């Protein structure tokens, strides 16, 4: 019988983030399909709030490594905590969210316990005897299903690929099996000195937004009066993001203009880039503006549900099966009208 381990790091307040709850949702489903045994393993500065919140997930054991040494991401301590938890659980299948923190350590941890690991998992299916995972290769152009016999098998589930577990918390504190992990001075050579984040209204990448708003290089090009209108473009885009709470994406051309210090949008960085060499975000809807819709860009739209684009060119890439709706129009005019409607 399989033992399925749900593994997660806790947030600063001791709770679980959304990606972790999604991984738990997948672990609970997998456990039901395999009629296995479910265990939960948590690590972080505080773990009790997370354990209490998932008390009714069906786990028969709640293992934990807790303490200030495990508060922030650090390879040596995170890997030691995860290794201890995997050894204690003796699981055959381990499911964890593919956060940047766990992605950094799980390959090494899996090697230490003699298992195998798969990253960027987008779905996990099982019948009573076998487990099959799905993941994408070659920038989301090839979808593969694979299965393995080696155990333990560690699966890093991509955020946004599964619905989050939603269940009742405990009425009283859950009993934790606390595991002591010795932390030597050499393991603490790396120290987190603090976190620097832009203010919330300048944070343009919003993975949970309903809409992805993409800006292309057209916003910085000469318009019908023969002039560029970059300050106006900035105002229109910032105003729209403020009102709609959309996430901001960009084409490669636009972020590169910004990097070269040309007259471009100041709030744009390479992190906003969507596409073959950029990100593949997940949002229910997308609106592309002043972007041509070339294949290396639109491949990053793989997981965008309904797609719309605004372009002056009726023969742009979006018109060739890349978008559900193409508005052949001036994005400056359309977005100022949209902003006016949102403001009223
Ligand atoms: C190996 C490789 C990897 C790449 N990876 C990526 C990637 O990850 N992401 C990516 O984006 N690109 C990528 N590219 C580049 C990609 O092929 C395109 O060059 C890029 O996406 C073009 O950006 P753009 O559409 O913003 O600019 P442009 O091609 O310059 O298009 C600007 C568009 O704006 C329109 N426009 C101008 N003014 C207005 C207006 N007022 N209203 C409406 N529309 C207007 C124009 O009609 C035009 O269609 C890659 C290329 C290669 C070779």
């Amino acid at each position: 019988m399989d033992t399925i381990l749900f593994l997660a790091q806790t947030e600063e307040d001791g709770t679980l983030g959304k990606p972790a709850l999604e991984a738990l949702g997948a672990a609970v489903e997998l456990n039901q399909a395999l009629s296995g045994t479910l265990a939960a393993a948590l690590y972080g500065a505080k773990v009790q709030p997370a354990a209490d919140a998932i008390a009714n997930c069906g786990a028969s054991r709640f293992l934990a490594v807790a303490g200030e040494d495990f508060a922030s991401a650090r390879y040596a301590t995170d890997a030691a905590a995860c290794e201890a938890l995997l050894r204690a659980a003796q699981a055959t299948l381990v499911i964890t969210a593919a956060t940047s923190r766990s992605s950094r350590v799980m390959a090494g941890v899996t090697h230490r316990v003699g298992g195998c690991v798969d990253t960027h998992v987008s779905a996990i299916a099982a019948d009573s005897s076998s487990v099959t995972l799905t993941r994408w290769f070659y920038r989301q152009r090839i979808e593969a299903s694979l299965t393995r016999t080696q155990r333990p098998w560690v699966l890093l589930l991509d955020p946004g690929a599964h619905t989050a577990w939603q269940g009742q918390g405990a009425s009283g504190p859950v009993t934790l099996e606390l595991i002591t992990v010795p932390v030597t001075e050499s393991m603490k050579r790396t120290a987190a000195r603090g976190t620097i984040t832009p203010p919330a209204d300048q944070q343009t990448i919003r993975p949970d937004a309903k809409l992805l708003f993409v800006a292309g290089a057209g916003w910085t090009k000469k318009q019908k009066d023969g002039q560029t209108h970059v300050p106006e473009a900035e105002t229109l885009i910032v105003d729209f993001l403020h009102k709609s709470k959309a996430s901001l994406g960009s084409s490669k051309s636009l972020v590169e203009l910004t990097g070269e210090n040309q007259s471009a949008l100041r709030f744009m960085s390479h992190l906003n880039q969507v596409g073959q060499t950029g990100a593949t975000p997940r949002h229910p809807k997308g609106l592309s503006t002043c972007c041509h819709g070339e294949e290396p860009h639109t491949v990053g739209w793989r997981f965008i549900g309904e797609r719309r684009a605004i372009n002056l060119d009726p023969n742009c890439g979006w018109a060739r099966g890349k978008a559900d709706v193409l508005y052949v129009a001036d994005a400056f005019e359309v977005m100022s009208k949209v902003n006016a409607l949102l403001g009223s």
Side-chain angles (χ1 to χ4, degrees):
M1 190 169 66
D2 277 300
T3 299
I4 294 112
L5 180 69
F6 158 67
L7 173 71
Q9 72 265 10
T10 55
E11 304 293 313
E12 248 173 65
D13 60 357
T15 61
L16 291 175
K18 189 161 171 274
L21 291 171
E22 291 167 0
L24 177 58
V28 168
E29 244 173 48
L30 181 64
N31 186 48
Q32 281 161 359
L34 294 173
S35 302
T37 305
L38 181 67
L42 306 166
Y43 63 100
K46 282 191 272 178
V47 292
Q48 193 70 49
D52 294 347
I54 62 165
N56 295 315
C57 69
S60 54
R61 295 173 75 187
F62 289 86
L63 304 156
V65 173
E68 273 311 310
D69 285 338
F70 306 96
S72 51
R74 172 170 51 196
Y75 190 92
T77 42
D78 278 358
C82 292
E83 183 188 351
L85 289 165
L86 258 65
R87 290 194 191 284
Q90 290 294 304
T92 46
L93 296 159
V94 180
I95 300 183
T96 187
T99 59
S100 58
R101 185 168 174 180
S102 66
S103 297
R104 215 173 299 147
V105 296
M106 287 317 293
V109 170
T110 308
H111 181 72
R112 289 184 194 181
V113 299
C116 58
V117 63
D118 277 289
T119 57
H120 291 297
V121 173
S122 54
I124 305 165
D127 55 32
S128 56
S129 58
S130 71
V131 180
T132 307
L133 72 77
T134 307
R135 62 155 294 168
W136 297 84
F137 289 97
Y138 187 39
R139 299 306 300 185
Q140 296 32 275
R141 284 187 169 98
I142 300 169
E143 188 183 21
S145 294
L146 45 125
T147 188
R148 293 184 191 272
T149 49
Q150 195 177 343
R151 298 291 184 268
W153 189 13
V154 178
L155 308 177
L156 273 71
L157 184 70
D158 262 353
H162 198 281
T163 46
W165 182 80
Q166 286 175 321
Q168 292 295 315
S171 45
V174 166
T175 308
L176 288 166
E177 290 178 48
L178 282 172
I179 296 165
T180 307
V181 174
V183 177
T184 60
E185 278 311 306
S186 70
M187 288 164 79
K188 295 200 281 186
R189 276 180 309 186
T190 304
R193 304 283 288 272
T195 311
I196 300 170
T197 50
D201 59 344
Q202 283 173 31
Q203 182 64 268
T204 57
I205 299 171
R206 301 168 178 153
D208 291 331
K210 293 199 178 83
L211 177 72
L212 172 72
F213 177 87
V214 163
W219 284 106
T220 63
K221 300 271 163 78
K222 283 185 182 161
Q223 295 299 308
K224 54 192 171 201
D225 59 0
Q227 307 294 318
T228 60
H229 293 273
V230 177
E232 210 177 318
E234 281 196 338
T235 308
L236 281 172
I237 294 169
V238 169
D239 196 19
F240 177 71
L241 294 177
H242 182 68
K243 287 173 169 151
S244 66
K245 304 281 176 271
S247 188
L248 179 65
S250 174
S251 69
K252 189 170 189 288
S253 298
L254 183 57
V255 288
E256 277 170 6
L257 286 173
T258 311
E260 287 158 13
N261 247 347
Q262 293 187 24
S263 183
L265 307 178
R266 282 168 295 176
F267 45 83
M268 205 60 105
S269 83
H270 278 91
L271 292 174
N272 294 93
Q273 186 184 319
V274 170
Q276 183 176 335
T277 39
T280 315
R282 290 168 195 262
H283 299 275
K285 292 184 181 183
L287 176 64
S288 156
T289 55
C290 296
C291 163
H292 201 72
E294 287 182 36
E295 177 63 16
H297 173 75
T298 54
V299 71
W301 284 60
R302 174 73 77 189
F303 302 119
I304 305 298
E306 190 190 310
R307 304 166 183 199
R308 298 190 180 202
I310 308 169
N311 199 304
L312 287 169
D313 180 0
N315 289 315
C316 69
W318 299 107
R320 300 170 195 192
K322 308 278 192 208
D324 301 301
V325 178
L326 169 66
Y327 303 99
V328 179
D330 185 327
F332 282 83
E333 289 171 19
V334 176
M335 293 316 295
S336 60
K337 179 80 181 161
V338 169
N339 284 343
L341 289 170
L342 287 172
S344 60

